[in-house]
Amino acid sequence: MTFGSELKPNEFGAINGYTEKQIEVYGALAKLLAEKATAEKEYGRKVVELAQGFQQQLAGLHESSGGSGMDSLALTDAEAEGTGPLELTSAVNEWAARLEEEGRLHVQVGSKTSSDIADELRAAYDGLAEARRKTLDGYQRLLAERDSTYEQKDRARTAYDARSKTLAGSLQRQERATTEKDQEKFRQRADRDTSLRNQAKNEYILQVAVANAAKNAVNRVLTPRAMDAMQAINDHRVAQTRQLLLQMLAMQTAADSRRVAATQRAASVVSRVAPTADSDQLVRRRTAAGQSRWDEPADFRVVVDAAAGEDDAIARDGESQAILRNLGLQAQRDAQRAEEEMRTAAATAEQCRQRAQAGAKGSDRELERAADADRDSAIAELHAVQHHALHAAVELHLGHAVAHGSLHAFKPVTLALSRTCDYCAESIGGLQRKAARCSLCEYTCHAKCQIKVEPNCPGPDTEHKSGFLSMFGTLRGKKKQQHQRSASVLSNDSVGSGAPPSIGAASQASLPRQHALPPALPMLQLTAPPPTTSLVANVGTVAVLYDFAGDGATTLTVRASDRVRIVEPDTDASGWTAVELPSGLQGLVPTSYVDMSEYKPPPIQHRMLALNEPKVEYVVALYDFSARDPDELSFAAGDRIRVVSREIGDGWIQGALSGGREGRLPVAYVQNDD
């Protein structure tokens, strides 16, 4: 019979109070023995006085705990001579009664009692008190961890509500917009707010699952375990006190023959004490009195804005799926680590308890160490439950696909120069240029974007690209990972059939949302002025067969019947071809979407003439731009800007305003001034 199996989770406070009072009583017993050893000359009066005081203290404990099933702690002759197990309280009370009959103590017995019994009991009391305190502290920290999970759930709910209100405001502004430009601007803002709302909603749903798992783990597993740990301390208290009392009684029997009869009776009574008798009696007493009651709290539920058409289904758009897979894989790895910590701490606690049960000197300190290890094991187990719950919640919505993937090993880095985020294609700028970079494949993005990157790290990249495609990274690196955000499965079989090649459903799910105006800073733009049309007209150009919607970062948007110039053919059979639009924008399109049968490589001399021809070039600003770095150029929509250099690449050019101000500017914010 154990506290954890028989009593309810909300009984932990009563058990702690019971154990604390019991330990305090036996601290008084240690004091009694020490004073008894020094009162040898006043044995009759002093010992009787102390014994009676101790009996009163036991009686008070007996009354405050509701009794032990007997009207009085005092044993009758029949009860004292019986053979059944007794509670420690009744046995100690019997010994105290016999103590009143004693008149003198031998000096040697008094000395031995002081050194061998009283000091040891005091040390045991201190150790047990510390073990109880640490067990209580561990349980309180466990509850704090659980409550922290509840708070995370509540914060996720608050964030979700805030995102929902923001989205509602964006939708209202879109409805009130009177011009197409404003409608488009607010529509894109609403798309962005929808994505943020979905992320907040998913986090809220996951936090509800984690909170429920934490609640169940604490109430059904960890609290009963803490109660059993408290019972172990209580049982050890009983066993240790019993052992010391028997040792003291044996000394008294050998020292004073006049006390043999009384001492033998007391020894007989104390020897009948079972280590678990007090605990069993407490269980019977509280269950019989109906004091052990527990109502299981209801599980938490996801609360959404039903009036706005919301449901409790988890968002599964492409970006959300990537975030969920990252969370699931991270939770799976964290759960394994937590389980290992739990097993190590549990083994340590068991070893300490075994050493304590052996009764060796210092066993009380072993219980202290066991309490520490139990606390660490319980917290690690709760963490494992939370991580498993998170992984299971993600797997419930995504299926076993969450188990397949390789997490990127992102580390925070500070960039020496501004560069483009490999995920969102926006500039990583600012004074500090903080970013996240995978230490394995060198994928680099904003810190805020790393959770959205698909968990498909290919590991260290040993391949190398040269020429124009080196701007896109190697096949296993940037090119492959950036294209995961757009069509990744293209079929060449449909070319010429009148329909565009199909893009797999899995790839469609991962297509990015359209960028809000003004457009995000593209990563792939011109790195040199376009060739003069008089020199290279129709040389190296091909027709576009089908419409294709690019992501504005690495892939271009083209329409059927457009003509594009081939910058880099698909020589590595990757399924992508680098092209240039008449506006000068460069990027990737699916190879099967252009008519490569028309392609004729331009002569070398044409390319050399185009590069060497001097030309003053101007662009016109499409949108306002505010510089974020000292080397960037601020301008307003409609400004005419002279192109100083296109050689800086990476989606940026060097330009100058008529007033002489010069700096870097994003190509996506301007168009050529024809």
Side-chain angles (χ1 to χ4, degrees), residues 50-63 73 93:
L50 292 174
Q52 289 177 344
F54 181 64
Q55 284 180 302
Q56 292 174 0
Q57 193 170 359
L58 286 177
L61 175 64
H62 177 70
E63 293 173 1
L73 285 175
N93 186 73

Side-chain angles (χ1 to χ4, degrees), residues 322-338 383 387-388 390-391 394 402 405-410 450-451 455:
I323 294 174
L324 290 172
R325 290 186 65 206
N326 277 307
L327 292 174
L329 290 171
Q330 184 65 45
Q332 188 177 37
R333 185 168 63 184
D334 291 344
Q336 294 172 351
R337 185 182 301 112
H383 288 167
H387 295 319
H388 279 305
L390 178 58
H391 179 264
V394 173
V402 71
S406 177
L407 286 172
H408 288 275
F410 282 116
Q450 60 181 308
I451 189 64

Side-chain angles (χ1 to χ4, degrees), residues 93 183 279 285 295 312 364 387 400 426 488 501 507 518 567 606:
N93 186 73
Q183 288 179 348
S279 301
R285 184 162 60 246
D295 295 327
D312 59 358
D364 305 293
H387 295 319
H400 295 292
E426 294 185 3
S488 60
S507 299
V567 176
H606 284 186

Side-chain angles (χ1 to χ4, degrees), residues 310-329:
E310 280 292 306
D311 56 30
D312 59 358
I314 200 165
R316 298 181 59 182
D317 56 89
E319 187 174 272
S320 296
Q321 288 198 34
I323 294 174
L324 290 172
R325 290 186 65 206
N326 277 307
L327 292 174
L329 290 171

Side-chain angles (χ1 to χ4, degrees), residues 12 18 102 222 261 273 288 337 468 482 515 544 588 606 631 668:
F12 182 86
Y18 167 80
E102 298 178 1
L222 302 178
V273 173
R337 185 182 301 112
F468 175 82
Q482 290 164 354
H515 290 292
V544 177
L588 296 172
H606 284 186
D631 61 345

Side-chain angles (χ1 to χ4, degrees), residues 131-307:
R132 183 204 63 80
R133 186 193 65 76
K134 289 188 175 182
T135 300
L136 176 61
D137 177 68
Y139 183 71
Q140 290 173 338
R141 288 183 60 184
L142 188 66
L143 295 182
E145 288 281 338
R146 180 202 64 187
D147 294 341
S148 175
T149 303
Y150 292 175
E151 292 173 0
Q152 291 177 9
K153 169 189 70 66
D154 295 337
R155 287 196 296 270
R157 166 70 189 281
T158 301
Y160 165 68
D161 291 341
R163 291 298 185 187
S164 296
K165 291 180 181 178
T166 302
L167 176 59
S170 297
L171 293 174
Q172 291 176 357
R173 286 192 293 272
Q174 181 181 354
E175 291 176 357
R176 293 196 299 266
T178 58
T179 66
E180 287 187 2
K181 182 176 181 181
D182 288 342
Q183 288 179 348
E184 179 63 12
K185 177 175 71 175
F186 289 120
R187 181 191 66 78
Q188 294 184 1
R189 184 175 299 173
D191 289 345
R192 181 191 63 203
D193 292 340
T194 298
S195 175
L196 295 174
R197 190 275 317 276
N198 288 342
Q199 294 179 35
K201 176 184 176 182
N202 290 348
E203 182 179 358
Y204 174 42
I205 294 173
L206 296 177
Q207 287 299 331
V208 168
V210 172
N212 284 327
K215 172 187 68 69
N216 293 334
V218 170
N219 293 341
R220 300 175 184 176
V221 179
L222 302 178
T223 296
R225 186 177 299 166
M227 295 166 68
D228 288 342
M230 195 68 76
Q231 179 179 354
I233 295 172
N234 194 52
D235 294 345
H236 185 79
R237 167 190 61 81
V238 175
Q240 185 75 358
T241 307
R242 170 182 178 271
Q243 176 184 348
L244 293 174
L245 287 178
L246 288 174
Q247 180 180 348
M248 182 191 64
L249 293 171
M251 287 191 303
Q252 290 177 340
T253 300
D256 193 352
S257 61
R258 292 177 300 176
R259 295 181 291 137
V260 170
T263 301
Q264 287 178 343
R265 172 169 171 163
S268 176
V269 169
V270 173
S271 64
R272 290 162 53 192
V273 173
T276 60
D278 283 30
S279 301
D280 294 345
Q281 187 60 39
L282 177 65
V283 171
R284 287 192 293 269
R285 184 162 60 246
R286 297 194 68 83
T287 54
Q291 295 173 314
S292 183
R293 293 186 298 272
W294 172 254
D295 295 327
E296 180 73 24
D299 284 352
F300 297 108
R301 297 180 58 192
V302 176
V303 180
V304 298
D305 187 3

